[in-house]
Amino acid sequence: MVTLRETPPGRPGPQRVMRRIGLWGAPGSGKTSFLAALNVAVTQSRQDWALVGVNDDSVAFLTESTSALTDRRRFPRATESMAELSWVMMSESEVRTGGRWRKEIVKVPLQFHVDLLDAPGDNFKSEARTDDDAATLKDLGFDEDESGDESRSDTERLIDNLAACDGIVYLYDPVREKEKGDAYKYFQGTLAQIARRALQDRRFDGPHLPHHLAVCITKFDEPRVYETANRRGYLTVDVDDDHMFPRVHEDNAEDLFEDLCKVSPTGSAALVRKSIKRYFHDSRVRYFATSSVGFYLGKAVRFRAADYQNVVPDGHGGHKIRGAVYPINVLEPLLWLGQQLAGPTTY
Ligand SMILES: Nc1nc2c(ncn2[C@@H]2O[C@H](COP(=O)(O)OP(=O)(O)OP(=O)(O)O)[C@@H](O)[C@H]2O)c(=O)[nH]1
Ligand SMILES: [Mg+2]
């Protein structure tokens, strides 16, 4: 475990948020790249965050995947087996203390745990279920989907873990959706299983699941995604960003998701959107346009719309990263979830 800085006597102790955050997304949607970019995003952040692995495997993942992205400029390989990662994100938060007459603002350490499983996306595919499961799912209004159950135990562990989380990062890959139109296949089965577990544990909040959901539209740097956001007028620039990288304002990210749903050849993305609306409380969902690698800068100081593509074909059927990596909205979804789950900060 991580040792925390001692808080002076009489001062509020560290705010420990021991909440769990899960990761969900179809194969190739960018889950491992997102995690690999997190360390870079933390380092580049203007806020003082530190990301620390709590066991050897988690430290090794941080070191190796970050160096693959930044030094070798390679994406991680497709995930073949499930990896358990456990990190602590640490910063400081300002807290108001004191009684009615004497108020003081002090800085206290803030930390939250990110425990997650990085699994091959295939585990999220809809699966055949037992008769009991089928009956419960039917009661909840879900349709069944027939497919194999080879990796049942890994899948069960993954879904149990996701269901027990307080916050979930769901990665939606608009590029895959445009080509394969199968987002719902990797969404509905998992959602049904999470719902079943929430029902068993009496965690439903009215008609809604109790989880907070950060929906990340991945590969925002990809021309088809970037140009859609540009055409719709969703782009904005953070005034504090020296490189002036475009972003989608958080008020428009949901609109971008909706627009991208319309180009799905199967209409599958629209079903994902409907399910999110139906099963998650509006106030617990936020959309982000995310890129793990960001835009190409080269030797320029500022973003150039004429030459922004940071991911190009490697000549062997894969992709390589052209220049330095500037993750966009990788840290932010986790911070948003961390803040939602932390509760009020006033003592
Ligand atoms: N343009 C762009 N492509 C990305 C980005 N992130 C991932 N990719 C592409 O998507 C591919 C798959 O990314 P992964 O991170 O392996 O996806 P995954 O969800 O972990 O995939 P599985 O482990 O197979 O389930 C990468 O090899 C890249 O080609 C991104 O931020 N921008
Ligand atoms: Mg992976």
Side-chain angles (χ1 to χ4, degrees):
M1 284 302 278
V2 176
T3 316
L4 283 170
R5 181 165 75 72
E6 285 293 317
T7 312
R11 295 286 168 86
Q15 278 188 284
R16 281 200 190 87
V17 184
M18 306 290 282
R19 302 300 173 95
R20 276 163 51 176
I21 293 176
L23 188 65
W24 177 10
S29 56
K31 299 180 292 297
T32 312
S33 306
F34 180 92
L35 296 177
L38 184 58
N39 209 15
V40 184
V42 163
T43 312
Q44 289 174 356
S45 166
R46 281 190 304 275
Q47 293 172 37
D48 283 336
W49 281 98
L51 181 66
V52 183
V54 299
N55 53 40
D56 287 348
D57 286 352
S58 307
V59 172
F61 180 93
L62 282 183
T63 324
E64 281 157 26
S65 61
T66 307
S67 109
L69 273 191
T70 54
D71 304 336
R72 298 198 295 281
R73 295 192 175 155
R74 285 278 160 191
F75 282 104
R77 285 170 209 268
T79 309
E80 280 168 12
S81 60
M82 206 143 75
E84 281 181 51
L85 299 167
S86 189
W87 300 324
V88 182
M89 295 187 59
M90 293 188 285
S91 184
E92 283 185 323
S93 98
E94 292 193 338
V95 170
R96 207 184 289 270
T97 61
R100 198 166 156 205
W101 306 111
R102 208 170 147 268
K103 291 209 186 312
E104 210 188 338
I105 292 183
V106 293
K107 283 195 167 178
V108 297
L110 167 70
Q111 60 165 271
F112 63 89
H113 285 227
V114 184
D115 282 344
L116 41 81
L117 295 173
D118 183 24
D122 239 15
N123 284 287
F124 296 107
K125 199 163 62 185
S126 307
E127 294 204 13
R129 299 174 219 296
T130 64
D131 289 348
D132 272 1
D133 287 350
T136 321
L137 294 176
K138 218 165 170 209
D139 289 348
L140 284 166
F142 287 98
D143 292 331
E144 282 293 293
D145 180 66
E146 295 290 324
S147 19
D149 63 349
E150 315 84 57
S151 55
R152 187 78 186 148
S153 59
D154 259 10
T155 304
E156 286 236 320
R157 255 179 73 214
L158 179 66
I159 309 267
D160 280 345
N161 182 281
L162 209 52
C165 282
D166 307 282
I168 297 175
V169 177
Y170 169 66
L171 300 192
Y172 169 78
D173 176 357
V175 178
R176 178 184 174 105
E177 183 59 17
K178 176 96 173 63
E179 284 159 12
K180 300 208 160 122
D182 60 359
Y184 193 56
K185 181 164 130 194
Y186 293 92
F187 189 85
Q188 62 104 7
T190 300
L191 177 65
Q193 289 296 330
I194 294 173
R196 178 167 73 89
R197 282 155 175 81
L199 195 69
Q200 273 168 358
D201 300 341
R202 297 175 192 277
R203 285 185 75 207
F204 257 91
D205 172 16
H208 298 120
L209 289 166
H211 309 81
H212 282 78
L213 186 72
V215 181
C216 295
I217 304 160
T218 58
K219 309 181 187 175
F220 168 49
D221 60 283
E222 223 272 344
R224 282 170 284 183
V225 186
Y226 167 79
E227 295 300 347
T228 305
N230 191 16
R231 269 198 312 276
R232 309 281 167 149
Y234 299 150
L235 296 184
T236 180
V237 175
D238 181 350
V239 284
D240 295 326
D241 178 2
D242 296 339
H243 302 312
M244 302 193 71
F245 287 126
R247 292 170 166 270
V248 173
H249 193 274
E250 61 182 52
D251 293 347
N252 289 129
E254 187 172 353
D255 300 326
L256 176 64
F257 186 83
E258 225 171 301
D259 292 336
L260 291 167
C261 284
K262 289 181 195 144
V263 297
S264 157
T266 59
S268 144
L271 293 175
V272 171
R273 170 146 170 75
K274 271 196 182 159
S275 299
I276 292 174
K277 277 232 158 289
R278 190 165 147 201
Y279 287 94
F280 294 89
H281 197 285
D282 270 354
S283 66
R284 295 194 203 115
V285 180
R286 183 170 286 188
Y287 289 78
F288 299 85
T290 290
S291 168
S292 295
V293 295
F295 297 102
Y296 179 68
L297 201 58
K299 291 203 167 67
V301 179
R302 294 200 175 141
F303 170 83
R304 289 164 305 144
D307 186 18
Y308 66 81
Q309 237 179 298
N310 208 8
V311 178
V312 287
D314 63 3
H316 308 286
H319 292 94
K320 64 178 182 189
I321 304 163
R322 246 174 107 198
V325 167
Y326 298 100
I328 294 177
N329 277 338
V330 168
L331 179 59
E332 289 80 350
L334 289 178
L335 292 188
W336 175 73
L337 285 174
Q339 277 153 12
Q340 302 312 298
L341 304 171
T345 54
T346 310
Y347 281 67

